[in-house]
Amino acid sequence: MARDLGSSHHPVTDWSDERRKEALRSTRLGHNWIHFGGLRRSLVRIGFALVAVMILCSQYWAHDVGPERERLATTQPQIHHIYDAADPANRDTAVVDLVGLGNLNASRTARSLPALSGIGQVWAVQYDNDGIDTAVISRIITTYAQSLGIDQIVLIGHSMGGIIALEVATHIVENTDVRLRAVILDCTPMNLHAVRAHSRSAGEDLLRWMGWLPGARESRGLRLFVETAARKNRFVLTDDEAHPVLDPGAFVTTIRGVLRQKIFNPNSASNGLIQSQFRTIVASGATDDLAAIDDSADDRPFPAIVFMRPDFGTDDPVVDVDYSQELLFEETGGPQGRLFVVRMTSTGHANPMQQPEAYNAAIHDEVAPYLQQLENEESGTAAAGAAIQASAPPR
C-alpha cells in the first residue's frame, strides 16, 4: 500500500532549527532536572572531563615517569679507567675528566684525548643520573686514587663540568691529603652571566617546567618537547616579510635527532641531572672555590689553573670565554699567579670530540709542558730549601 508522504505532519521541506534545538534540549542529560539544572549539568561535564584527564595522567605516570624513576633509583656516580700513563714516572698522577651540561658519562670525551696520558693516568667520571653531589664525587675520586697509590690529581672539566671540577677540587683540598696538582677548565662559564643569553634562556625554561609539572624530572615526553623547542632555529625559518615559517622536513629531522641523542641514548643525562647541572651554574661559586682552594692549600703548592678556549671569543656560541677569562685572571692572575691560558684554533664550545686534533695538540704542546715546568720548579725549590736547612749551623 502506497504511503502518502505529503500527509506527513512535518514534511522534509518544513525544517526548523528551533525544533532541532528543542529536541536536543528535551533529550539531553538532566533535561528533567528542575532545580539547579544548569549547575548540575556543568558539574557532570566537569566530572567527565576530570575522568579523561585522570586517565591521561595515569598513562603519563605509568609509561613515562614510572619506568624512568625506577631506572634513576639504581644509578650512582662511577669512575672509569680510560688510559694508563704514557710515562711510568707519571703513574702517581690521575687526570680526571668531567663533562658538562646535558652529558652523563665523560668516557667518550676522555677517549678522544689520549694526550692526557702524557700527564698521568686518565679517568672519566660518570655522574649519578638523579643529580650531582660534588662531595660524593670527590670521595669516589680520592678513595679510588688512594686504593691505587695515586697521590696527585688533575681535574679537567668541560663547560659546566669545570664548575663541578672546581667544587670537587675544594673538597679534595679541604678534606683529603691527596695533592691537587691542577684544574683544567675547557670553556667554563665562571658564573651565569658568562652563559650567552639564548643558552641561558633554554636552561631557565627547563627549570620552570621542573617546578610546574609533576614528574618533570623523569618525563621523557617533556624532555622531547623542551629539547625540540631549544632547537627551533633549525626548523623555524623566516620569510621575506620576517614571518616565522615551519620547515616540516627540518622539524621531523630535529625530532629524530632528539629521540636518538637525548631520549633513547643510555648515556644521555636525565632531566633531573640537567636540572642539577644548570642549578650548579646558577648558584656558581666558582670564584669562591678558587679562593677556598688557595686558602686551604696550606704548605702545599697552589694548584695550577689552565683555561682552554677558542682563539676568538666569538667562536664559542654558548659561553663568553673572554668574560670568564677576565674573572679567572682577577682571582688567579698577576705576577705570582698560576693561570695559564691556552688558545686553540678552529674550536668551538668545549668540543674535544669534534676537534680532537686541536685539543690533543694543545694538551701535548702546551698544557703538559706547563705542568711539568711547574713540577720542576717546585722540586727545585724544595731541594734548595732542604739544602739550605741542611747547611744551617745547629742552634
Side-chain angles (χ1 to χ4, degrees):
M1 179 177 177
R3 184 178 179 186
D4 184 7
L5 296 177
S7 64
S8 174
H9 183 64
H10 294 297
V12 174
T13 55
D14 187 18
W15 182 85
S16 170
D17 190 53
E18 291 300 322
R19 284 198 302 272
R20 180 186 66 82
K21 294 179 179 179
E22 178 62 29
L24 288 174
R25 281 193 293 269
S26 64
T27 56
R28 67 182 176 180
L29 177 66
H31 65 276
N32 57 345
W33 294 342
I34 299 174
H35 301 291
F36 303 105
L39 175 62
R40 294 162 70 182
R41 282 188 290 271
S42 296
L43 291 176
V44 170
R45 294 191 188 100
I46 293 173
F48 282 127
L50 289 176
V51 169
V53 170
M54 290 176 64
I55 292 174
L56 289 175
C57 288
S58 65
Q59 296 302 306
Y60 159 74
W61 204 267
H63 299 290
D64 190 3
V65 176
E68 186 70 1
R69 179 166 290 183
E70 291 178 6
R71 183 178 73 86
L72 296 182
T74 63
T75 66
Q76 58 184 358
Q78 302 176 48
I79 297 290
H80 300 283
H81 186 101
I82 306 300
Y83 293 117
D84 290 325
D87 185 346
N90 294 328
R91 287 177 181 171
D92 63 342
T93 300
V95 185
V96 185
D97 202 319
L98 301 105
V99 282
L101 186 67
N103 296 289
L104 172 67
N105 190 342
S107 294
R108 289 183 59 205
T109 302
R111 288 191 191 98
S112 71
L113 299 174
L116 290 174
S117 64
I119 302 172
Q121 299 184 36
V122 182
W123 303 345
V125 172
Q126 178 177 326
Y127 299 130
D128 183 345
N129 224 336
D130 199 34
I132 288 178
D133 187 329
T134 54
V136 172
I137 293 174
S138 68
R139 284 198 299 271
I140 291 175
I141 292 173
T142 54
T143 300
Y144 190 52
Q146 291 168 345
S147 69
L148 297 177
I150 304 294
D151 55 16
Q152 295 190 118
I153 295 291
V154 174
L155 299 174
I156 176 169
H158 308 279
S159 188
M160 183 280 311
I163 297 176
I164 301 298
L166 288 171
E167 289 192 18
V168 170
T170 302
H171 290 298
I172 291 175
V173 172
E174 290 182 344
N175 303 317
T176 74
D177 294 328
V178 177
R179 180 195 167 193
L180 179 67
R181 185 175 171 189
V183 180
I184 303 172
L185 307 174
D186 176 18
C187 300
T188 294
M190 295 305 293
N191 57 35
L192 188 60
H193 298 294
V195 181
R196 300 195 188 277
H198 63 278
S199 298
R200 186 167 63 244
S201 63
E204 290 170 343
D205 288 342
L206 181 60
L207 286 186
R208 292 191 193 99
W209 279 104
M210 294 296 181
W212 293 343
L213 184 64
R217 281 176 55 87
E218 298 86 8
S219 173
R220 289 165 292 180
L222 174 64
R223 177 76 177 277
L224 175 63
F225 171 78
V226 172
E227 294 282 359
T228 302
R231 294 162 173 76
K232 64 182 178 181
N233 61 315
R234 301 182 184 181
F235 55 84
V236 177
L237 311 176
T238 54
D239 58 17
D240 295 337
E241 298 180 357
H243 295 148
V245 177
L246 177 68
D247 183 339
F251 179 64
V252 172
T253 301
T254 301
I255 290 181
R256 286 177 176 172
V258 171
L259 287 171
R260 183 178 64 256
Q261 299 168 12
K262 301 297 182 180
I263 307 302
F264 300 126
N265 180 5
N267 289 320
S268 177
S270 68
N271 294 353
L273 176 56
I274 293 176
Q275 180 190 33
S276 182
Q277 289 174 332
F278 190 78
R279 281 179 172 171
T280 302
I281 300 175
V282 173
S284 172
T287 54
D288 294 335
D289 288 325
L290 288 170
I293 293 169
D294 192 12
D295 294 340
S296 302
D298 297 328
D299 57 342
R300 291 175 288 184
F302 180 72
I305 304 297
V306 179
F307 187 56
M308 303 183 70
R309 50 158 293 175
D311 199 11
F312 300 100
T314 52
D315 290 339
D316 190 329
V318 178
V319 172
D320 185 345
V321 291
D322 293 325
Y323 176 66
S324 279
Q325 182 176 327
E326 290 177 8
L327 293 179
L328 280 168
F329 183 80
E330 290 175 4
E331 294 296 325
T332 64
Q336 304 301 320
R338 288 201 168 194
L339 174 63
F340 183 63
V341 178
V342 178
R343 292 175 177 264
M344 297 174 289
T345 304
S346 303
T347 62
H349 174 67
N351 58 346
M353 287 194 296
Q354 290 73 33
Q355 297 292 337
E357 296 84 2
Y359 271 83
N360 281 292
I363 293 169
H364 181 271
D365 298 338
E366 299 186 62
V367 178
Y370 172 69
L371 296 182
Q372 187 60 52
Q373 176 188 341
L374 292 180
E375 191 77 10
N376 295 338
E377 291 175 358
E378 290 161 8
S379 299
T381 301
I388 292 173
Q389 185 176 5
S391 62
R395 295 183 180 180

